[in-house]
Amino acid sequence: MRMAKGLLGLLMALPLLASAEEIGQVSTVFKFVGPNDRIVVEAFDDPKVDGVTCYLSRAKTGGVKGGLGLAEDRAEASIACRQVGPIKFKGDLKDGDEVFKERTSLVFKTMQVVRFLDKKRNTLVYLVYSDRLIEGSPQNAVTAIPILPWVPVQQ
């Protein structure tokens, strides 16, 4: 019982992260066995900021290893975040808050998106990068959203 309470406490302490929805994909390399190498486009909403959706494109390795989840995906990614409704903060925002994280190898490598608030320019900034347990990659991409009033479209 004590262990179950400790595990529940640990799970509650984990940051709330967004989960991605696949928008589409294109094949880049044909593989005779297993899925092809591809570029996947995913969308996720910022869990702490209503009215913001981010679109992430990244490479997924195919073949037998990729099909079994054993391949290491490349570090390159592209991100574009957009205001899709009125922006409302759900609590305090901390610079460098993790918004999205996904494993890109069996154990040691992850791709993550973090958020910064540029108060001087009233802008949300999102950074995507890949890290590895021992050595990360300097490859990254950034996008920014000015915080503006939302005007709904009249029909």
Side-chain angles (χ1 to χ4, degrees):
M1 183 66 160
R2 187 175 189 189
M3 188 171 154
K5 285 183 180 179
L7 184 59
L8 180 63
L10 179 65
L11 290 174
M12 291 177 67
L14 290 174
L16 180 64
L17 297 179
S19 59
E21 167 191 350
E22 187 174 309
I23 300 299
Q25 60 179 288
V26 295
S27 179
T28 58
V29 175
F30 174 75
K31 299 286 186 175
F32 284 106
V33 180
N36 292 342
D37 289 355
R38 60 202 186 281
I39 298 172
V40 177
V41 178
E42 300 168 312
F44 61 89
D45 298 323
D46 188 324
K48 283 191 168 182
V49 182
D50 283 342
V52 171
T53 298
C54 293
Y55 297 90
L56 183 65
S57 71
R58 58 197 183 92
K60 290 245 186 170
T61 304
V64 174
K65 284 184 177 180
L68 295 173
L70 302 175
E72 183 171 304
D73 294 333
R74 298 180 60 113
E76 296 91 353
S78 178
I79 189 167
C81 298
R82 298 295 182 258
Q83 182 175 0
V84 295
I87 291 180
K88 294 179 188 160
F89 299 135
K90 300 177 189 174
D92 293 334
L93 300 183
K94 294 182 182 82
D95 278 345
D97 266 351
E98 218 172 65
V99 178
F100 175 83
K101 185 174 188 174
E102 187 165 303
R103 180 180 59 81
T104 54
S105 76
L106 185 59
V107 178
F108 302 111
K109 191 174 179 184
T110 61
M111 178 157 301
Q112 47 197 319
V113 176
V114 293
R115 175 195 341 94
F116 298 92
L117 177 59
D118 180 352
K119 291 180 183 177
K120 180 178 177 182
R121 294 165 190 83
N122 200 35
T123 300
L124 290 166
V125 180
Y126 293 83
L127 170 71
V128 62
Y129 67 99
S130 181
D131 67 358
R132 193 180 293 182
L133 186 62
I134 295 177
E135 180 183 342
S137 170
Q139 296 178 354
N140 64 81
V142 69
T143 186
I145 304 171
I147 302 169
L148 302 171
W150 184 254
V151 181
V153 177
Q154 299 289 331
Q155 291 189 14

